[in-house]
Amino acid sequence: MHDASPDTASARRRVEAVWRIESARIVATLTRFTGDFDLAEDLAQEALSAALEQWPADGVPTNPGAWLVTVGKRRAVDGWRRAAALDDRYAAIAREMDEATGEIDYDPDAIDDDILRLVFIACHPALSREARIALTLRVVGGLTTDQIGRAFFVPTSTIQQRIVRAKKTLAAVNAPFEVPPRGEYAERLDGVLSVLYLIFNEGHVASSGEEWMRVGLAREAIRLVRVLAELIPGEHEVHGLAALMELTAARFPARTDRDGNPVLLNEQDRTRWDATLIARGRAALARADALGRGRGAYGLQAAIAECHAVAATFDDTDWEHIIVLYEALGRIAPSPAVDLNRAAAVAMATGPASALRIVDEIAASGALRGSHLLPSVRGDLLARLGRVDEARDCLREAARLTGNERERDVLLRKAADLAL
C-alpha cells in the first residue's frame, strides 16, 4: 500500500530523510538477521538504492523503514540462494519471506537493543579512535562518507579506507553483535561515550577550517547520546554526557555573530541561549544524580555547564563553585586540560596572579605542548596583569598553533588590541 506518487524530487528528499533517521535501526536489524555486520551494511545500501529507484515512480511506502528492512532481507536471501549454500535454515527463511504478503512487523518508534549492539560494534576497542568515529557516524549516524570527510576536512577516500579497514578489523576479531558482557561493560561504555564526546567537541569548536563551529556534527552527537540514554537509562554517565551536551549546545545561538565570528562567553547575549536545551540538560543531570551513584567526569562537567547556564550574567557566575567542581574533576579524570580550565576559573574568582602560577606549572611540565590552549589562556592572564609584551607574544603563539581560522582571527585581534 502506497501513498499517492510524489514527484521525483520530493521522493528523493523523503528517501534521504528516512535514511537519516532509520539507517542505524535498519543496519542493526539486518545485522541481527544475517549475523554479519559488513553484509548488513551492504544490504542496507542496496535497499537504499532500490528506494531511490522505486519510490519516485511508485510512491513512498506507508512504512518506509519497514520497506527498507524487507528489501534488505530479501536481498540477503537472494544472495544466499545464489551462493548455492541453501541449508535448512536458509530455506525456511526463504519460504517465510516468499509467503509474506505485506511488510514485516516493524515499529519505527520502538527502541530495541539492536541499535545499542550496533553502537558497541562501531566503538569496538580493536578499532582506532579515528575508525570508531568514522564508523559511528557512518552506520549509527547515517552520514555518508562525503559528509564525514567534509566534517573532519579529510578526503572522502580516506574515510572510505578507514571504514573498510574497520570492517576488516571487526571481522578479524570476530566481533559479536551483542552488548558486551557485564564485566566489560564499563570499559566498553566509556569508549562509546568518549567517541560521542569527541564528535560533539569537534562540532562545538572545530579543530580546523573556516568555521568556528560545526553545529550539524554537534547535533548528531546529541541525537546519538539521547538514543543511548533511552536504551540504557540506568547508566548515570550517559545522562551526565547528555546533560553536558545539552547545556553546552544551549549557548550555540549566541556563540557567533551574524558573520559567523566567535563571540566569547563573557560577551554573549544570554537571552539568545536556548532555554529548552538548558531545561533538557538540567533534567538529564537530575536523572544522573537520581541514580545515586555520584557524579562521574561527564556529570561534573555538566554541573560546570549548569553553573554557567543559570548565571544571569557573566559576573554573576559562581566561580568558587566551578573551582570546586574542577578540583573534583581533576581527581576523577586528571588532565592538563582540566587544570587549565581550573586556572581560568581561579582567575575569575581570585585574580590572574594565582591562576598564572597554575598555568606556568602546566607549561613547565611540558603538557599541552603544541596546543594553542595554553598560550591562549596564559596570554589573557598576562594581559590582565599588565605584562603586555609577554601577553602579545603568547596570543600570537596561540594564533600560530590553532588550526581554526576564526579562532586565529580572535587571538590576533586580542594581540593587536594590546598594542593600542
Side-chain angles (χ1 to χ4, degrees):
M1 183 175 179
H2 294 80
D3 297 329
S5 296
D7 60 58
T8 299
S10 65
R12 292 185 69 87
R13 286 195 296 272
R14 184 71 184 277
V15 171
E16 293 169 357
V18 169
W19 180 252
R20 186 83 175 79
I21 297 169
E22 300 287 349
S23 60
R25 200 187 311 276
I26 292 165
V27 173
T29 302
L30 293 173
T31 302
R32 178 162 49 82
F33 181 72
T34 64
D36 186 325
F37 167 73
D38 199 10
L39 174 62
E41 239 238 318
D42 289 343
L43 293 169
Q45 288 293 323
E46 290 182 24
L48 180 66
S49 296
L52 288 169
E53 290 179 4
Q54 295 184 34
W55 292 6
D58 301 337
V60 178
T62 52
N63 190 337
W67 188 96
L68 290 165
V69 169
T70 302
V71 170
K73 286 187 173 183
R74 286 179 174 150
R75 295 293 173 92
V77 172
D78 290 343
W80 289 330
R81 282 172 168 163
R82 283 195 300 272
L86 290 176
D87 57 16
D88 291 342
R89 173 173 177 253
Y90 295 161
I93 294 172
R95 282 196 297 273
E96 180 183 337
M97 294 298 296
D98 287 342
E99 291 167 359
T101 55
E103 293 166 345
I104 63 171
D105 183 15
Y106 177 86
D107 182 359
D109 294 325
I111 294 177
D112 56 42
D113 285 347
D114 283 351
I115 293 180
L116 184 58
R117 295 186 185 101
L118 193 64
V119 170
F120 275 104
I121 279 192
C123 297
H124 195 281
L127 304 177
S128 67
R129 187 187 72 163
E130 291 77 12
R132 292 184 200 181
I133 291 172
L135 205 57
T136 300
L137 290 174
R138 180 73 184 84
V139 302
V140 185
L143 274 63
T144 67
T145 50
D146 284 342
Q147 290 172 323
I148 300 170
R150 284 198 298 272
F152 289 93
F153 293 95
V154 173
T156 300
S157 59
T158 300
I159 297 297
Q160 290 171 334
Q161 290 167 7
R162 285 179 186 171
I163 291 174
V164 169
R165 281 198 299 271
K167 290 178 180 178
K168 289 181 178 178
T169 300
L170 291 175
V173 300
N174 196 25
F177 182 61
E178 62 184 22
V179 174
R182 203 70 194 174
E184 301 175 12
Y185 202 66
E187 179 186 356
R188 292 286 300 277
L189 183 60
D190 282 350
V192 169
L193 297 182
S194 69
V195 166
L196 296 182
Y197 192 37
L198 283 168
I199 294 170
F200 177 81
N201 272 339
E202 187 60 28
H204 177 225
V205 180
S207 59
S208 60
E210 299 177 355
E211 300 301 323
W212 173 237
M213 298 186 296
R214 295 171 196 158
V215 175
L217 205 57
R219 285 177 178 161
E220 181 59 28
I222 293 173
R223 186 181 73 81
L224 293 175
V225 81
R226 285 175 180 168
V227 170
L228 204 60
E230 292 296 327
L231 291 170
I232 42 177
E235 293 296 328
H236 70 305
E237 275 292 76
V238 177
H239 295 299
L241 181 57
L244 173 58
M245 289 185 183
E246 306 269 17
L247 288 163
T248 304
R251 302 180 215 151
F252 282 5
R255 290 192 75 232
T256 55
D257 63 18
R258 291 180 179 178
D259 297 322
N261 297 311
V263 179
L264 303 182
L265 180 62
N266 61 326
E267 299 171 340
Q268 289 175 15
D269 177 0
R270 297 185 177 217
T271 63
R272 296 182 62 199
W273 287 4
D274 190 322
T276 300
L277 287 182
I278 291 174
R280 289 186 66 112
R282 300 190 75 186
L285 186 58
R287 282 195 294 274
D289 290 344
L291 291 171
R293 293 163 57 187
R295 286 174 176 168
Y298 296 120
L300 285 169
Q301 291 176 82
I304 293 167
E306 185 182 45
C307 285
H308 291 296
V310 300
T313 67
F314 183 77
D315 291 335
D316 289 337
T317 306
D318 188 346
W319 295 108
E320 294 288 354
H321 187 50
I322 289 177
I323 292 171
V324 170
L325 291 168
Y326 271 124
E327 288 174 345
L329 180 61
R331 286 190 286 275
I332 291 177
S335 80
V338 171
D339 291 337
L340 191 64
N341 286 327
R342 178 169 60 85
V346 167
M348 296 308 303
T350 63
S354 52
L356 185 60
R357 285 193 289 274
I358 300 173
V359 173
D360 284 345
E361 287 175 5
I362 300 171
S365 72
L368 296 179
R369 182 177 292 135
S371 167
H372 70 286
L373 296 175
L374 193 142
S376 173
V377 172
R378 193 166 189 274
D380 285 337
L381 296 176
L382 289 168
R384 289 178 60 186
L385 289 167
R387 295 162 61 177
V388 176
D389 291 341
E390 293 172 87
R392 189 184 304 113
D393 290 343
C394 281
L395 292 170
R396 287 173 176 167
E397 173 68 3
R400 185 184 67 79
L401 291 172
T402 184
N404 185 286
E405 294 180 18
R406 298 280 185 173
E407 191 167 31
R408 183 179 300 117
D409 291 343
V410 170
L411 292 164
L412 290 176
R413 187 166 63 247
K414 283 183 177 180
D417 288 345
L418 290 174
L420 298 177

